[in-house]
Amino acid sequence: MQTNPTYSSLVALGDSFTEGMSDLLPDGTYRGWADLLAARMAAASPGFRYANLAVRGKLIQQIVDEQVETAAAMRADVVTLVGGLNDTLRPKCDMVRVRELLTEAVERLAPHCGQLVLMRSPGRQGPVLERFRPRMEALFECVDELAERHGALVVDLYGAPSLADPRLWDVDRLHLTADGHRRVAEAVWQTLGHTPDDPDWQLPPEATLPPRWTARRAADARFARQYLLPWIGRRLTGRSSGDGLPPKRPELLPYEAR
């Protein structure tokens, strides 16, 4: 791996994680780790170009159908692909099919970019994760196998203690906070061979007093009402939070940080 390499372009594929939820900007849009990474890469490379094809709620089949061919045609220096996790959270998930589709995505992308980057996605602590952990770890085994076969880099967010800390997750318990996204950007930056800005990104924030029992129960009730029940409703009706939404940044254009 080259130290402090210079890249001229970045294309990011995926779902809400790569779109940047819940790193909310004042104008109501999302920033997220991919934008933060693009800003750092642009600072080191005049004329740097960036596209982000991610759309919240996308399953791996949709990423393959709607994003992969577009990304391959862009022939970027760096392509990041994070997908399949939404599939593992569905009540019915065919992990054999998920592996096949992720394999197809990697095989179509790897020959058409300078460096492909895959990820072992973060997972917060809690009972919900435990139910889906076997599927997630099966997905990550596939990621590791594909990376070795095709020369891709793997960013291990799943093994980072900081990103398992509930304090780095938003109130919806599905998306990282702004600090969580910052840490992901740092992890990818380092994996690409750059000098660390935050060598301790994997370490959790300093310990704080846990919330009282009543506050935790109130938060649980608010979470169920505002996020869990609507999420279940979408699963039962076959809808997605990303239905009808365009890609975040569909063209590979010069990038200026917001």
Side-chain angles (χ1 to χ4, degrees):
M1 172 59 63
Q2 181 183 355
T3 303
N4 291 321
T6 299
Y7 298 106
S8 64
S9 54
L10 166 69
V11 177
L13 293 78
D15 50 35
S16 59
F17 173 69
T18 302
E19 183 184 346
M21 297 173 72
S22 293
D23 186 6
L24 191 64
L25 293 170
D27 65 0
T29 61
Y30 294 109
R31 182 175 52 184
W33 67 266
D35 284 14
L36 292 169
L37 176 65
R40 296 178 71 171
M41 297 172 77
S45 178
F48 178 85
R49 297 175 301 151
Y50 168 52
N52 189 325
L53 307 181
V55 178
R56 68 196 70 172
K58 292 300 182 181
L59 302 173
I60 187 62
Q61 178 76 71
Q62 295 169 309
I63 292 172
V64 169
D65 292 344
E66 301 167 15
Q67 300 179 26
V68 167
E69 197 63 33
T70 300
M74 292 177 176
R75 295 185 175 273
D77 283 355
V78 177
V79 171
T80 65
L81 169 64
V82 187
L85 198 62
N86 281 335
D87 297 79
T88 69
L89 300 177
R90 295 292 176 111
K92 295 181 180 180
C93 174
D94 182 351
M95 286 303 301
V96 172
R97 184 59 178 157
V98 170
R99 288 177 62 99
E100 291 174 347
L101 289 165
L102 186 59
T103 299
E104 178 182 350
V106 169
E107 289 178 346
R108 289 166 63 182
L109 288 168
H112 301 291
C113 66
Q115 180 62 66
L116 181 62
V117 179
L118 308 176
M119 296 191 196
R120 294 162 59 91
S121 305
R124 60 168 286 165
Q125 297 172 347
V128 175
L129 175 63
E130 293 307 316
R131 176 181 176 184
F132 299 106
R133 188 182 298 276
R135 293 179 182 175
M136 292 174 61
E137 294 185 347
L139 177 66
F140 300 154
E141 287 178 7
C142 181
V143 166
D144 290 342
E145 293 168 5
L146 289 170
E148 183 174 0
R149 193 181 313 155
H150 295 278
L153 299 175
V154 177
V155 184
D156 185 14
L157 306 175
Y158 185 67
S162 61
L163 298 179
D165 190 318
R167 292 173 296 171
L168 267 68
W169 292 77
D170 195 37
V171 292
D172 66 2
R173 305 183 184 181
L174 286 173
H175 301 107
L176 292 170
T177 63
D179 187 36
H181 280 283
R182 179 193 65 78
R183 292 169 185 256
V184 173
E186 177 68 25
V188 183
W189 178 257
Q190 292 184 26
T191 301
L192 285 169
H194 293 282
T195 301
D197 184 60
D198 177 11
D200 299 325
W201 71 267
Q202 297 187 60
L203 300 180
E206 293 185 5
T208 58
L209 291 175
R212 296 174 179 243
W213 184 89
T214 52
R216 295 199 304 271
R217 297 295 78 76
D220 289 343
R222 184 168 57 253
F223 161 73
R225 182 176 64 255
Q226 295 182 2
Y227 300 103
L228 181 59
L229 291 178
W231 182 84
I232 293 173
R234 290 194 298 271
R235 299 293 80 75
L236 293 176
T237 57
R239 294 178 294 116
S240 167
S241 58
D243 287 347
L245 295 180
K248 179 177 182 177
R249 186 179 171 89
E251 298 182 71
L252 188 60
L253 296 173
Y255 183 67
E256 294 183 4
R258 293 183 291 170

